[in-house]
Amino acid sequence: MIKSILMSAVLMTAAMISVQGQPSPAAQTSVTIGGKQLAIKYSAPSVKGRQMFGDGGRISKDPTYPVWRAGANSATAFHTDADLDIKGLHVPAGDYTIFVLATPEPWQLIVNKQTKQWGLAYKQDMDLGRVTMDVSKPSAPIETFKITLSSTGGNAGKLQLEFENYIASVPFTVK
């Protein structure tokens, strides 16, 4: 009986930690444009008082992380039901991984053909392509990383990343 009670307590504690204590919880965004769905699944880290970008930042300027997985944990998964044009890069309908080269200027969005890998298993030879991102500063620091897919009218949309002192975005068109 005591063993059963202890085991239940251990399992409940583990479940609470896994749900509430995730340092970078799962997140997702999606949009439907022209009847076609686009979706991104990622893990959302928080700043927690750390410097993330720039000189001495955890993400950029760190030779062990030349390319950022655009989130945490597993690499950021991107699915599109339609062919896309992302700033001149043709992206056929399908599944991809998104990475970001967060250098001082310009940031680059990387669309990679390898899927379902751990976030640090980046293989440049699997890149479909790279496009520059528009980078701006938010009015206040952004504590938790966020990706947004949105419609901007007609067959156009925007992919936007927000984190720390940066907002990076890139327009796309559904073909």
Side-chain angles (χ1 to χ4, degrees):
M1 177 73 167
I2 292 177
K3 260 187 176 179
S4 176
I5 292 171
L6 285 174
M7 185 58 114
S8 293
V10 167
L11 290 174
M12 284 177 48
T13 302
M16 287 172 56
I17 288 171
S18 70
V19 171
Q20 296 175 354
Q22 285 184 336
S24 300
Q28 60 186 357
T29 182
S30 65
V31 67
T32 300
I33 298 175
K36 303 292 184 176
Q37 185 175 36
L38 289 75
I40 295 178
K41 293 182 180 178
Y42 63 103
S43 292
S46 293
V47 175
K48 296 181 184 172
R50 304 172 289 185
Q51 180 181 347
M52 304 310 283
F53 299 102
D55 239 357
R58 290 180 50 110
I59 294 171
S60 54
K61 297 287 190 178
D62 184 342
T64 60
Y65 298 103
V67 171
W68 179 40
R69 60 186 134 185
N73 306 325
S74 293
T76 297
F78 175 54
H79 173 80
T80 174
D81 286 342
D83 289 359
L84 303 176
D85 180 293
I86 304 176
K87 266 191 151 175
L89 174 65
H90 175 71
V91 179
D95 294 305
Y96 301 92
T97 299
I98 298 244
F99 292 96
V100 173
L101 186 58
T103 54
E105 290 297 324
W107 283 26
Q108 292 181 16
L109 175 73
I110 302 168
V111 180
N112 188 275
K113 297 178 282 187
Q114 184 182 9
T115 60
K116 299 182 177 127
Q117 74 269 33
W118 184 249
L120 302 177
Y122 170 71
K123 293 182 180 175
Q124 184 173 355
D125 64 336
M126 295 294 291
D127 284 357
L128 178 67
R130 297 177 177 204
V131 295
T132 59
M133 300 186 81
D134 302 315
V135 179
S136 62
K137 302 283 183 187
S139 58
I142 300 164
E143 176 63 25
T144 301
F145 178 60
K146 181 179 181 182
I147 300 177
T148 310
L149 287 168
S150 60
S151 174
T152 57
N155 282 343
K158 180 170 67 170
L159 184 157
Q160 183 165 295
L161 313 172
E162 303 174 35
F163 197 32
E164 193 191 29
N165 297 309
Y166 296 90
I167 297 173
S169 63
V170 63
F172 62 84
T173 305
V174 174
K175 295 296 182 177

